Amino acid sequence: MKKAGGKTALKRSKEEDEEQNQIFNFNRKPADEDKDDDLSDSEDSVYSGLEDSGSDSEEEEGSDDNDDKMKEKKEGEVSEEKKKHEYEHDSSDEEDIRNTVGNIPMEWYKDFPHIGYNLDGKKIYKPIRNKDELDDFLDKMENPEYWRTVHDKQTGSDIVLSDDQVELVNRLQRGQFGDVNFNEYEPMVEFFSSDVMIHPVTNRPADKRSFIPSLTEKEKVSKLVHAIKMGWIKPRRVEDDGRGRYYNLWASEDSSILARHKMHLPAPKIPLPGHHESYNPPPEYLFTDEERALWEQQDPADRKLPFVPRKYSSLRQVPAFSQFIHERFERCLDLYLCPRQRKMRVNVNPEDLIPQLPKPKDLQPFPTTRSLVYRGHSGLVRSISVSPSGQWLASGSDDGSVRFWEVCSSRCMKTVQVGGAVKSVAWNPNPSVCLLAVALDSVVLILSPSLADKQVILSSERLLSAQQEGEEPAEGNGSVVWSEAEGEELNQGLRLKIQHPKAVHQVVWHAKGDYLASVMPDNTSHLQVYIHQLSRRRSQNPFSRNKGLVQCISFHPIRPYFFVATQRSIRIYNLVKQEMTKKLQTNSKWISSMAVHPGGDHVICGSYDCKLSWFDLDLSTKPYKMLRHHKKAVRGVAYHRLYPLFASASDDGSVIVCHGTVYNDLLQNPLIVPVKVLRGHVMTHDLGVLDVTFHPTQPWVFSSGADSTICLFT
Amino acid sequence: MGGLQKKKFERGSATNYITRNRARKKLQLSLPDFRRLCILKGIYPHEPKHKKKVNKGSTAPRTFYLLKDIRFLLHEPIVGKFREYKIFVRKLKKAYGKTEWSAVERLRENKPTYKLDHIIKERYPTFIDALRDIDDALCMCFLFSTFARTGKCHVQTIQLCRRLTVEWMNYVIASRSLRKVFLSIKGIYYQAEVMGQLITWVVPYQFSHDHPVDVDYRVMATFTELYTTLLGFVSFRLYSSLNLVYPPKLDSNGESEPKEESEDDYAMNSESYLEKLSALSASLARVVSSADEEEAQLDQFPSEGEDMEKMEAREKELKQQEAQKKLFEGLKFYLNREVPRESLAFVIRCFGGQVSWDKSVCIGSTYDVTDETITHQIIDRPSVGKQYINRYYIQPQWLYDCVNAKILLPVEDYFLGVTLPPHLSPFVEEKEGDYVPPEKLKMMALQRGEKPGNEQEEDEEEEEEEGEQEEEEEQEEDDNGDEEDDEEEVAEEKNLKKMEEQRSQGKSLHVKVTPGKLKVENKARLEQEEKAEEKRLAIMMMKKKEKYLYDKIMFGKKRKVREANKLAAKRKAHDDSEKAKKKKARK
């Protein structure tokens, strides 16, 4: 029973303990609220045991009687204490701590007989008998106080709450103050009010310093004054809202415009939008699938339109344009980063660019239509030549034959098989003889076609035979061999053979008909040109030095000059003085052909790089005019003997006839007008027209082509 | 010997230019400040003729400014302000670092600012100069006024831009100077004629922008700074030229006053003022309250006979313009809530119409839907609930098309749910040989006063015309081709002959009754041929330079023709497919 009594006592003490706890807790509450601290923090401080005051005092008291019945004693003391100074005590967050284990889960002491240690370090033992579930149940059923019984885990004892305590708990749960007598709605007393009072708020007499000027203040003020004087401190600026306040800026428009403004280039305006940009464009402005794919593939800089035209059926469906800010930004960049330049737009009418030339109609006569075709050759017709009378035409072809045609009827009068591809034919320009020079392989043949008056034939025979009587040849150049034709060849009209050391490419007559020159192009030696004299059967090499690959040669029609065209230039030699008089620069890559004006002052020269250059020998060594009429290499050029015409034949299958008037007046430049493009040859093996020559008296032009025909244009 | 050795790059063009970096150092400015200065002063780089010489022999890519320009900048007071600002920022940073808040406050109060008035005056010495250059300013301000206040730029700037654009629109309404409008996919283009200057600006559609990251907003803001100043001064001048009060005030005794009862829906009078202005529905107050200022009759100066025609043409044009200004006079519009209110109200008011909207859409509505006198209701939805019998329900494109056509177009094509006719750009002026969309032809016919007859006939006619055009074009092309490549000349000549034969046959259809004429034509053809050949020959004789230029021009022309043909072909294909569809539908 005693034990039981003790137990109850203990229980009570616990109760009180709890109560105290509560009260302390309650006391702590407002402070907590004020501080607005973390709750767990304060709890920590509660259980940390480092608190002073209450616990200390308790300790002192507890240390006085340190016997076994400590609990009872303590209980009594505590109750006394409680009565004495429950509220006197300052309400710091205190806890009377009997168990010093701290805020730990009490299960840790489950297996021990004790439950912790008191302040003296003595074990606190658990109550002897633990309640089991059954006890608990029975208690619940039987004990009317059960609902107000609280189990204290720290001491392992049950505490029954008193009525006051229950009331307190209820109050706290309702959120009310723990003290019943505390009035939380007390009327506020205003310390400062609108009413003027007679007495001062405080009764303190005024300081002395409130009567005398302050030295420190003076010092500060003087500093400021100094700063203001020195301009270190500026007066507070008046808030002038400059932005958004506008006035008539151009009230006095002075006309004095700075030089800058004259030079100023205003930025070009943004181009205005076209139909493409409409939200509802006509259907043709929309992209097809291919166009769209192309647009997407293209680099943004290459695109013609910076956007894809779109069609929306109504205005409300039009979305925002995502590039809008970009475009404005680009414009800004253009405005301040782009160099500006005045660009003169070429605003010319293209028709004005076309030069005003005399009409071809006014420049007649010139050949206009293809009137005759001479067929018979079976290979390329390399070269043609017209007899000085204009009645006969000789042609040499790759098929190894030389044919003679009657010009007017296009009949082939005679065919001479010479046994080799004919490179060049040339009719003796002397009308009193009838001879033809033919170049093939390394031989130059002199033919007497006997297509003329008897007298002429006779005179030509005489010329040849006279040479025969002359004397023994073979002086000077041993490399050239003159020989007579014999037998069958004689019947064909072959008279003389001039054997050269190398392949002969071209043969030309002097205007008088006694001399002829032949070309053996060879880059390596000076033996490229021979001049032969027919009457004396003599040959000589006029040049002792190699000046480059000789392309073609020509005699001056009147004076003793000799034209030699090398690859890029034309040299003019004076045959009498035996010196070079001029060197013409053609500005072309590779000369193909050359012709000398019958007046002798002008030269035209065709080249493989499609150019035709006209030289005025009196004017300059540079071409007076470069004509780029042909699309392909120029193969042959020719002057007309009487009419102011010249023609050029090219690989593109055309013969271009130009009018080229040469004035006697030295001050007037020659007038060159293309008058007709003649076409009649078929392109074969990428070759078109190979040679061109004019009729000596009529404004007719002959052309020989790679298609083994010869055409006459009248 | 003797004399000093000449040093390189000490005279000539090398001394006339200065690189950007050197200019920056000379002005003692940071790059952003230099950029800002260039923007404000309108200084732009120059491309020297001989870059290598100017660059002292180096070929590195550099930006060059004219030394004169930079010297000119040296005396600019704004440069001093920039330096002050730099110092201000430094001081402020220091004060922040030392947490001297009073100093911060004081510094902030004394924040250096600058004005651009003198720069405007200097860049645009006369008012007309300023007006000429105002396109970009308007575009930029309209763009900035649509920005959300999200920190891309200062809120004040946005507000100022909004204010200025509203003022501009009000001016255009008051002066009735709007000429053309164009709904593009980018935004709405407007063109106004102010004091004889054509001014074009573009307004984005009313959506929030998704701000791109690769745009430097500082540059844009600097431009805007300049542009707002410019626009403000121009507005002031324009308002004063019309005797309007500036800053604009709503006319208190105007007949179309906004309803007063709606006032209390909005916060404060002062706050809603700009909004009321931007409603564009009320007229503005004038300095001199002139009852009706009569347009001064233009004096006619009798002039010589040759000018008479010009005079007449000009008079006619003037008359037309006057008529256009009164295009919507007497019409009463009501805007549904789904149409772009501001744009439509602006356009309608510019041409003298009356306009209103639901009062919940915007402040400043003048009458309700129920008003019986409304003639047109602008609507952009497939159907409408309650329809009033005495008004047209039309789609917004009608208004814009009317403005561009300068006449009231028939409303049938623009009714609810009808497929709209294409909206054409009014800025395109077709020259000879350009492709003209058939809609434009139709519109031109309407303008001439012709009644839209049987459409099919017209179409056919057009097609015929087009066909002829094409033929001609092709012929031209052929001609050109001949000139260019001689080697193809034979083939082309044949082609040409064939073509000519075809043409002669085609043309002689109506001539064929008289057999004797054939020869005459032949002669003409011969002549033509001769001429063509002459031209070809003449072209052969052209100088190299001129030939190049000529070829270039001809190439450009051909390309144009090709493009026009392509468009025409596309259109034809489209029309054919449409027709086929229609036929199918009929069957």
Side-chain angles (χ1 to χ4, degrees):
Chain A
M1 200 61 214
K2 196 182 175 186
K3 248 183 190 167
K7 204 176 177 183
T8 49
L10 189 114
K11 215 169 195 177
R12 192 154 31 95
S13 81
K14 276 292 153 197
E15 259 171 48
E16 280 151 14
D17 228 343
E18 193 71 20
E19 187 186 24
Q20 211 171 22
N21 248 344
Q22 296 273 10
I23 287 160
F24 285 143
N25 277 338
F26 148 69
N27 284 338
R28 198 174 67 227
K29 206 169 181 181
D32 270 357
E33 272 169 8
D34 283 350
K35 273 189 197 165
D36 222 17
D37 264 342
D38 200 6
L39 201 78
S40 63
D41 228 26
S42 63
E43 264 172 12
D44 268 350
S45 66
V46 164
Y47 291 110
S48 63
L50 292 172
E51 256 53 62
D52 42 354
S53 56
S55 59
D56 273 7
S57 63
E58 227 168 23
E59 204 177 344
E60 280 156 29
E61 284 159 43
S63 61
D64 288 346
D65 34 14
N66 44 358
D67 52 351
D68 285 345
K69 293 167 191 170
M70 187 200 74
K71 281 168 209 166
E72 279 94 332
K73 219 179 175 184
K74 205 170 203 178
E75 176 247 309
E77 275 171 15
V78 165
S79 61
E80 271 172 24
E81 224 173 61
K82 192 192 103 189
K83 269 162 206 155
K84 255 194 275 169
H85 49 80
E86 190 178 356
Y87 286 113
E88 293 167 15
H89 217 273
D90 114 71
S91 64
S92 63
D93 26 2
E94 296 289 309
E95 171 98 15
D96 91 318
I97 296 162
R98 257 165 267 173
N99 195 346
T100 56
V101 291
N103 188 15
I104 54 160
M106 293 317 282
E107 292 95 71
W108 292 354
Y109 284 90
K110 209 168 55 186
D111 300 334
F112 295 101
H114 63 282
I115 204 164
Y117 305 91
N118 63 11
L119 290 169
D120 300 330
K122 301 270 166 57
K123 282 176 182 172
I124 303 173
Y125 289 96
K126 283 179 187 170
I128 315 282
R129 209 185 74 137
N130 270 339
K131 275 185 190 171
D132 55 5
E133 236 113 277
L134 192 61
D135 284 339
D136 206 20
F137 180 71
L138 286 176
D139 223 14
K140 197 176 184 179
M141 289 288 106
E142 293 166 358
N143 195 354
E145 302 284 279
Y146 179 80
W147 64 273
R148 57 167 73 186
T149 313
V150 177
H151 181 73
D152 185 358
K153 272 186 185 165
Q154 271 203 323
T155 52
S157 56
D158 286 346
I159 302 158
V160 179
L161 302 182
S162 65
D163 279 351
D164 287 348
Q165 284 170 335
V166 169
E167 175 62 16
L168 183 64
V169 168
N170 283 340
R171 282 182 66 79
L172 287 177
Q173 273 177 343
R174 283 199 300 266
Q176 288 170 334
F177 283 96
D179 190 0
V180 190
N181 303 322
F182 183 73
N183 182 11
E184 55 214 281
Y185 299 111
E186 285 201 338
M188 192 172 94
V189 179
E190 280 186 17
F191 191 71
F192 295 102
S193 68
S194 56
D195 306 326
V196 180
M197 300 192 188
I198 354 165
H199 300 293
V201 180
T202 62
N203 213 7
R204 199 158 163 270
D207 289 324
K208 183 188 175 188
R209 61 170 183 264
S210 61
F211 298 113
I212 54 170
S214 153
L215 274 176
T216 45
E217 256 177 33
K218 188 186 169 194
E219 201 176 345
K220 274 184 187 170
V221 167
S222 65
K223 260 185 185 172
L224 286 175
V225 167
H226 182 62
I228 290 170
K229 267 185 191 167
M230 299 303 284
W232 297 335
I233 293 180
K234 290 195 180 85
R236 181 171 296 176
R237 236 175 24 149
V238 196
E239 188 61 45
D240 64 326
D241 189 16
R243 318 263 156 122
R245 185 145 303 160
Y246 304 111
Y247 52 92
N248 193 354
L249 189 67
W250 293 279
S252 57
E253 277 188 9
D254 44 350
S255 55
S256 65
I257 289 165
L258 296 170
R260 271 184 59 73
H261 293 295
K262 271 184 233 154
M263 291 299 295
H264 178 69
L265 299 180
K269 297 197 169 185
I270 291 184
L272 291 169
H275 298 316
H276 290 278
E277 217 181 300
S278 171
Y279 87 102
N280 182 15
E284 61 267 31
Y285 288 99
L286 294 172
F287 278 171
T288 58
D289 293 342
E290 302 103 63
E291 278 170 328
R292 179 154 190 145
L294 183 72
W295 186 88
E296 271 160 9
Q297 273 178 6
Q298 269 172 336
D299 191 64
D302 296 340
R303 287 171 183 164
K304 220 179 239 177
L305 288 176
F307 54 90
V308 183
R310 300 284 307 272
K311 192 181 181 98
Y312 301 97
S313 59
S314 68
L315 188 57
R316 71 170 187 280
Q317 287 165 341
V318 184
F321 186 62
S322 58
Q323 295 292 306
F324 198 93
I325 295 179
H326 269 292
E327 276 191 4
R328 292 269 28 115
F329 180 60
E330 292 289 317
R331 172 72 179 170
C332 288
L333 290 188
D334 283 353
L335 284 177
Y336 89 94
L337 281 182
C338 273
R340 294 183 201 165
Q341 228 164 25
R342 237 177 257 278
K343 195 166 187 182
M344 297 306 281
R345 273 224 98 146
V346 201
N347 207 358
V348 282
N349 185 4
E351 301 301 318
D352 295 346
L353 288 174
I354 299 172
Q356 285 300 320
L357 297 175
K359 284 191 175 170
K361 217 191 252 174
D362 307 336
L363 299 175
Q364 273 167 346
F366 54 82
T368 51
T369 49
R370 184 169 73 156
S371 45
L372 284 177
V373 182
Y374 305 84
R375 291 177 207 281
H377 281 295
S378 55
L380 314 178
V381 185
R382 288 259 182 215
S383 174
I384 49 175
S385 179
V386 191
S387 72
S389 60
Q391 198 182 353
W392 308 105
L393 172 71
S395 64
S397 160
D398 269 6
D399 60 3
S401 64
V402 176
R403 283 173 186 256
F404 296 89
W405 315 81
E406 194 181 20
V407 168
C408 302
S409 61
S410 82
R411 260 200 1 223
C412 180
M413 297 302 288
K414 204 172 178 183
T415 310
V416 181
Q417 293 294 338
V418 290
V422 179
K423 287 280 180 320
S424 169
V425 292
W427 211 294
N428 194 324
N430 189 353
S432 59
V433 291
C434 174
L435 289 174
L436 185 77
V438 177
L440 69 146
D441 297 338
S442 57
V443 195
V444 174
L445 306 175
I446 307 293
L447 296 181
S448 169
S450 52
L451 294 168
D453 281 347
K454 272 232 170 86
Q455 266 194 329
V456 174
I457 295 169
L458 273 177
S459 69
S460 51
E461 290 294 335
R462 204 177 303 131
L463 179 68
L464 292 175
S465 55
Q467 300 149 7
Q468 206 174 7
E469 290 157 9
E471 83 293 348
E472 293 317 299
E475 91 283 348
N477 296 309
S479 49
V480 176
V481 182
W482 294 68
S483 58
E484 299 264 336
E486 287 140 5
E488 181 59 26
E489 287 177 335
L490 208 62
N491 288 348
Q492 279 193 334
L494 227 160
R495 290 292 176 270
L496 273 179
K497 275 185 182 175
I498 309 170
Q499 187 69 40
H500 287 66
K502 279 169 276 186
V504 181
H505 268 229
Q506 199 204 3
V507 57
V508 286
W509 289 96
H510 185 253
K512 293 220 174 100
D514 193 18
Y515 291 93
L516 79 161
S518 58
V519 185
M520 302 168 287
D522 181 5
N523 229 351
T524 51
S525 82
H526 65 280
L527 267 180
Q528 297 195 72
V529 179
Y530 272 111
I531 297 180
H532 313 281
Q533 190 179 13
L534 207 57
S535 54
R536 298 177 62 189
R537 294 203 181 176
R538 231 172 54 170
S539 304
Q540 63 171 6
N541 174 20
F543 305 118
S544 55
R545 213 180 282 164
N546 173 23
K547 298 274 187 177
L549 189 67
V550 177
Q551 291 298 310
C552 49
I553 49 174
S554 181
F555 284 102
H556 192 281
I558 307 158
R559 272 170 285 180
Y561 287 132
F562 189 59
F563 297 82
V564 178
T566 55
Q567 194 176 320
R568 313 194 54 160
S569 57
I570 298 173
R571 287 156 208 274
I572 305 171
Y573 295 95
N574 190 333
L575 290 176
V576 176
K577 288 188 183 167
Q578 302 272 324
E579 63 182 15
M580 192 176 84
T581 52
K582 227 168 221 177
K583 186 180 169 193
L584 307 178
Q585 295 295 340
T586 57
N587 294 347
S588 51
K589 295 271 153 49
W590 201 302
I591 295 171
S592 66
S593 51
M594 170 177 63
V596 184
H597 193 265
D601 284 342
H602 301 269
V603 174
I604 52 172
C605 146
S607 66
Y608 288 116
D609 51 355
C610 322
K611 286 181 204 158
L612 180 83
S613 18
W614 174 295
F615 292 95
D616 191 335
L617 296 184
D618 298 332
L619 212 62
S620 155
T621 58
K622 298 267 158 52
Y624 159 65
K625 207 144 218 182
M626 297 285 280
L627 306 175
R628 292 176 191 79
H629 296 167
H630 288 287
K631 287 279 178 281
K632 281 190 178 173
V634 177
R635 289 268 170 187
V637 289
Y639 269 114
H640 199 283
R641 256 174 64 190
L642 305 173
Y643 291 102
L645 291 175
F646 65 92
S648 58
S650 156
D651 270 350
D652 59 11
S654 66
V655 174
I656 295 180
V657 181
C658 300
H659 179 90
T661 314
V662 174
Y663 300 98
N664 288 328
D665 184 2
L666 280 177
L667 290 176
Q668 214 163 356
N669 288 329
L671 170 80
I672 299 172
V673 183
V675 287
K676 190 72 190 171
V677 179
L678 300 168
R679 291 164 193 283
H681 288 283
V682 183
M683 302 276 291
T684 32
H685 311 302
D686 271 347
L687 293 174
V689 188
L690 296 178
D691 197 9
V692 65
T693 182
F694 275 102
H695 192 276
T697 50
Q698 297 294 324
W700 297 348
V701 68
F702 299 92
S703 66
S704 73
D707 56 348
S708 63
T709 60
I710 303 160
C711 295
L712 168 63
F713 299 93
T714 56
Chain B
M1 306 306 279
L4 287 171
Q5 195 185 359
K6 265 188 203 168
K7 277 185 189 159
K8 253 182 164 181
F9 310 123
E10 283 199 340
R11 56 173 70 188
S13 56
T15 53
N16 290 337
Y17 293 92
I18 186 169
T19 63
R20 189 185 63 175
N21 236 7
R22 278 180 55 214
R24 200 177 59 68
K25 273 180 191 151
K26 187 162 189 167
L27 292 169
Q28 302 179 14
L29 286 174
S30 66
L31 190 57
D33 275 346
F34 179 69
R35 188 184 294 143
R36 188 178 298 140
L37 187 66
C38 284
I39 291 171
L40 294 178
K41 293 285 281 182
I43 304 291
Y44 46 84
H46 281 258
E47 189 83 357
K49 249 185 191 165
H50 301 289
K51 238 186 159 175
K52 207 173 159 189
K53 265 187 204 166
V54 173
N55 214 351
K56 319 231 155 130
S58 145
T59 49
R62 287 212 175 92
T63 320
F64 293 100
Y65 287 85
L66 277 183
L67 191 63
K68 262 186 197 169
D69 284 350
I70 301 302
R71 281 216 196 99
F72 169 71
L73 287 182
L74 274 176
H75 307 292
E76 176 56 48
I78 286 269
V79 178
K81 295 278 184 186
F82 284 165
R83 293 199 191 112
E84 257 174 48
Y85 194 82
K86 199 172 72 183
I87 293 162
F88 158 73
V89 169
R90 205 168 54 210
K91 281 183 180 167
L92 198 66
K93 250 188 210 162
K94 207 171 188 179
Y96 263 115
K98 291 181 172 175
T99 61
E100 292 172 343
W101 304 120
S102 62
V104 167
E105 200 180 333
R106 181 173 50 76
L107 283 170
R108 278 189 179 281
E109 267 166 10
N110 284 320
K111 182 178 170 183
T113 56
Y114 53 87
K115 280 177 140 189
L116 298 174
D117 305 7
H118 64 285
I119 289 185
I120 300 285
K121 174 81 184 185
E122 182 192 271
R123 282 183 71 173
Y124 306 107
T126 62
F127 177 59
I128 292 298
D129 290 335
L131 210 52
R132 239 180 247 151
D133 224 13
I134 210 162
D135 284 19
D136 286 315
L138 278 171
C139 291
M140 193 65 117
C141 285
F142 270 101
L143 172 65
F144 263 65
S145 66
T146 59
F147 276 177
R149 297 166 186 191
T150 50
K152 286 287 171 201
C153 54
H154 293 296
V155 176
Q156 288 92 333
T157 313
I158 295 172
Q159 278 169 341
L160 183 61
C161 282
R162 177 69 186 154
R163 190 192 121 192
L164 289 169
T165 52
V166 166
E167 279 168 11
W168 173 261
M169 285 199 287
N170 271 312
Y171 168 75
V172 172
I173 289 173
S175 63
R176 296 217 176 164
S177 48
L178 191 68
R179 292 287 170 271
K180 288 168 179 174
V181 195
F182 177 49
L183 300 169
S184 88
I185 52 174
K186 292 180 182 172
I188 305 178
Y189 284 87
Y190 299 96
Q191 190 172 60
E193 194 179 350
V194 179
M195 303 208 162
Q197 302 292 327
L198 280 179
I199 292 162
T200 317
W201 69 97
V202 56
V203 182
Y205 288 115
Q206 289 283 346
F207 292 103
S208 63
H209 301 276
D210 46 343
H211 289 278
V213 282
D214 51 344
V215 163
D216 188 356
Y217 279 90
R218 282 180 304 173
V219 171
M220 301 247 285
T222 313
F223 268 104
T224 313
E225 204 174 7
L226 176 77
Y227 285 156
T228 48
T229 319
L230 171 65
L231 194 55
F233 285 120
V234 168
S235 284
F236 185 92
R237 176 79 179 228
L238 288 174
Y239 270 73
S240 55
S241 74
L242 279 189
N243 279 336
L244 292 168
V245 182
Y246 189 90
K249 293 224 164 49
L250 293 176
D251 198 0
S252 52
N253 52 10
E255 76 279 4
S256 61
E257 206 170 330
K259 276 190 251 170
E260 288 302 317
E261 68 250 41
S262 62
E263 206 90 321
D264 33 292
D265 297 348
Y266 297 94
M268 274 168 71
N269 227 357
S270 58
E271 279 181 20
S272 64
Y273 195 75
L274 181 65
E275 281 175 44
K276 264 191 235 162
L277 255 183
S278 60
L280 305 173
S281 62
S283 50
L284 301 178
R286 288 176 189 268
V287 177
V288 188
S289 58
S290 55
D292 255 17
E293 55 175 290
E294 282 291 313
E295 282 287 311
Q297 203 69 32
L298 273 183
D299 287 342
Q300 292 198 359
F301 298 100
S303 52
E304 271 70 85
E306 54 178 43
D307 281 347
M308 277 308 273
E309 273 184 27
K310 260 190 207 167
M311 284 273 288
E312 268 171 28
R314 207 166 49 200
E315 238 167 71
K316 206 176 165 189
E317 206 170 278
L318 266 178
K319 224 179 244 177
Q320 214 178 11
Q321 228 174 54
E322 282 305 306
Q324 197 202 358
K325 276 182 190 173
K326 293 173 180 164
L327 188 63
F328 295 144
E329 222 148 74
L331 301 183
K332 249 180 143 176
F333 293 90
Y334 186 82
L335 307 181
N336 254 29
R337 56 175 66 250
E338 69 273 10
V339 296
R341 188 201 64 82
E342 191 170 289
S343 166
L344 281 168
F346 175 56
V347 171
I348 292 169
R349 293 263 296 132
C350 274
F351 294 97
Q354 279 178 283
V355 62
S356 179
W357 45 84
D358 195 287
K359 70 173 195 251
S360 62
V361 174
C362 179
I363 198 171
S365 68
T366 45
Y367 43 85
D368 280 338
V369 203
T370 50
D371 196 332
E372 290 290 322
T373 55
I374 290 173
T375 55
H376 295 78
Q377 184 161 349
I378 314 294
I379 192 164
D380 196 6
R381 53 175 85 174
S383 63
V384 66
K386 192 191 174 198
Q387 289 205 0
Y388 290 84
I389 201 109
N390 57 349
R391 66 176 76 154
Y392 293 120
Y393 285 86
I394 45 172
Q395 303 195 37
Q397 196 192 321
W398 180 76
L399 278 169
Y400 298 107
D401 280 352
C402 283
V403 169
N404 293 338
K406 301 176 185 171
I407 45 166
L408 289 180
L409 294 170
V411 288
E412 290 84 10
D413 299 340
Y414 300 89
F415 278 157
L416 280 195
V418 171
T419 313
L420 288 169
H423 180 62
L424 297 174
S425 166
F427 302 117
V428 180
E429 264 158 31
E430 278 92 355
K431 277 176 243 138
E432 282 239 352
D434 284 354
Y435 172 74
V436 187
E439 284 83 10
K440 179 122 187 179
L441 292 173
K442 227 180 272 175
M443 199 186 78
M444 272 146 63
L446 271 173
Q447 275 173 339
R448 283 193 298 268
E450 291 166 18
K451 291 253 165 142
N454 203 344
E455 274 187 28
Q456 291 231 326
E457 262 184 33
E458 229 173 73
D459 277 5
E460 273 166 31
E461 273 178 23
E462 275 162 24
E463 270 167 38
E464 269 179 25
E465 274 180 23
E466 273 168 28
E468 271 182 23
Q469 265 186 2
E470 274 168 48
E471 248 178 56
E472 278 172 17
E473 282 152 9
E474 276 169 39
Q475 144 105 50
E476 239 185 51
E477 269 178 59
D478 270 12
D479 278 4
N480 301 337
D482 274 8
E483 291 140 20
E484 272 155 25
D485 22 1
D486 272 9
E487 57 176 326
E488 288 170 20
E489 229 164 55
V490 178
E492 273 178 3
E493 199 125 314
K494 264 186 205 163
N495 211 352
L496 191 89
K497 263 179 201 164
K498 216 195 271 171
M499 287 279 307
E500 274 167 357
E501 272 167 21
Q502 275 176 1
R503 274 185 69 205
S504 66
Q505 277 173 10
K507 281 248 169 97
S508 65
L509 273 176
H510 56 285
V511 189
K512 223 161 202 183
V513 192
T514 51
K517 284 223 169 179
L518 206 68
K519 250 185 191 168
V520 177
E521 277 215 342
N522 228 345
K523 214 180 208 171
R525 203 191 76 196
L526 267 176
E527 224 165 75
Q528 250 186 4
E529 250 175 67
E530 216 165 83
K531 267 210 179 130
E533 177 151 16
E534 249 173 57
K535 199 174 152 193
R536 260 193 325 258
L537 291 171
I539 284 168
M540 286 196 330
M541 279 305 284
M542 271 163 98
K543 279 176 196 151
K544 207 171 168 187
K545 237 183 205 172
E546 288 177 351
K547 181 87 187 293
Y548 175 74
L549 182 63
Y550 180 82
D551 283 350
K552 229 168 128 178
I553 294 173
M554 289 324 259
F555 177 77
K557 273 190 172 177
K558 256 198 278 179
R559 192 180 49 196
K560 228 183 220 173
V561 168
R562 210 165 46 226
E563 264 161 24
N565 285 347
K566 199 173 153 197
L567 280 177
K570 244 168 133 183
R571 177 66 182 215
K572 210 178 162 216
H574 179 263
D575 284 354
D576 286 350
S577 70
E578 287 287 299
K579 256 183 207 169
K581 259 186 214 168
K582 250 186 215 170
K583 261 184 194 170
K584 250 184 202 173
R586 250 181 241 166
K587 274 171 189 174

